[in-house]
Amino acid sequence: KLPQLIDYNDLQGDLQVHSNYTDGAFSIEEMAQNARIQFGLNYMAITDHTTSLRLANGLDAQELIDQSNKIAEINDKDKEADFRILSGAEVNIQKDGSLDIPNNVLDKLEFVGAAIHSNFSLPIDLQTNRLIEAAKNPSVDIIFHPTGRVINRRDGYPVDIIRLIEIARETKTILEIDAH
């Protein structure tokens, strides 16, 4: 039997949150208030989807910058609170491993996640290289849902997860453990 290493109350923040700017249900302010009061968190990163994910009303480069400025205003307004909102994005990893938002925009954000949202049926070597290219991108902090699997709803795409873990370790890129 494994020991319990972490409890829900040990969580300090949430690094993947979508606001009503894209496919989320609540405003940034509402989410921050709930994260702080209801869940006792110290921070959250707004990681709304980006432009090529039209289904989720993905944000373009200018909209991301505008959202980042809005987040800075909210943080400045509530300096007394023991809570911080990080500006971020969940950028799409394109078929060739490039991202759908340029690095000069991503570098203005505090937290950048990259994820695959299309072309799930590529062969394992192409899918793995796609994720590796994103992990090697200096603007990317984390690879979101690196297997693409949604438990009881969707099988993942083929990926050499061991190779991806090795590259993530080399590049200091976080890999999300998604148990949704």
Side-chain angles (χ1 to χ4, degrees):
K1 183 176 177 179
L2 292 174
Q4 183 171 342
L5 300 177
I6 189 167
D7 183 273
Y8 187 82
N9 294 325
D10 295 329
L11 297 177
Q12 299 294 307
D14 192 333
L15 295 174
Q16 188 181 21
V17 176
H18 301 294
S19 76
N20 62 4
Y21 272 67
T22 61
D23 60 338
F26 300 100
S27 71
I28 294 169
E29 294 93 334
E30 291 168 321
M31 291 171 44
Q33 184 176 6
N34 283 331
R36 185 176 68 230
I37 295 169
Q38 187 174 354
F39 298 107
L41 299 180
N42 297 320
Y43 61 89
M44 71 176 191
I46 301 295
T47 54
D48 281 320
H49 291 287
T50 52
T51 190
S52 65
L53 196 58
R54 302 239 183 266
L55 206 60
N57 301 314
L59 303 178
D60 65 25
Q62 187 58 54
E63 290 168 322
L64 277 175
I65 291 169
D66 293 345
Q67 184 185 65
S68 180
N69 291 334
K70 172 72 172 173
I71 290 168
E73 288 174 21
I74 295 167
N75 282 330
D76 286 345
K77 186 170 50 173
D78 202 6
K79 283 187 177 185
E80 299 303 312
D82 238 1
F83 190 84
R84 177 136 174 87
I85 306 166
L86 303 173
S87 63
E90 180 175 348
V91 298
N92 289 315
I93 303 171
Q94 308 292 21
K95 192 174 180 180
D96 65 356
S98 64
L99 305 178
D100 68 341
I101 298 288
N103 282 16
N104 66 328
V105 174
L106 297 177
D107 290 343
K108 294 178 168 108
L109 304 176
E110 295 171 289
F111 188 78
V112 175
I116 290 176
H117 294 102
S118 62
N119 298 301
F120 288 177
S121 62
L122 293 175
I124 189 169
D125 58 328
L126 294 178
Q127 205 71 281
T128 302
N129 286 338
R130 189 177 178 191
L131 289 161
I132 286 171
E133 284 304 307
K136 288 180 176 179
N137 185 310
S139 298
V140 172
D141 299 297
I142 186 170
I143 302 294
F144 287 139
H145 38 82
T147 67
R149 180 176 178 216
V150 179
I151 297 171
N152 295 327
R153 289 196 3 215
R154 180 179 73 207
D155 289 336
Y157 38 74
V159 61
D160 181 345
I161 197 70
I162 299 301
R163 189 162 162 235
L164 179 59
I165 289 169
E166 290 169 355
I167 296 297
R169 183 177 19 187
E170 288 173 20
T171 60
K172 296 185 178 10
T173 304
I174 301 164
L175 296 177
E176 176 187 45
I177 299 173
D178 191 351
H180 175 64

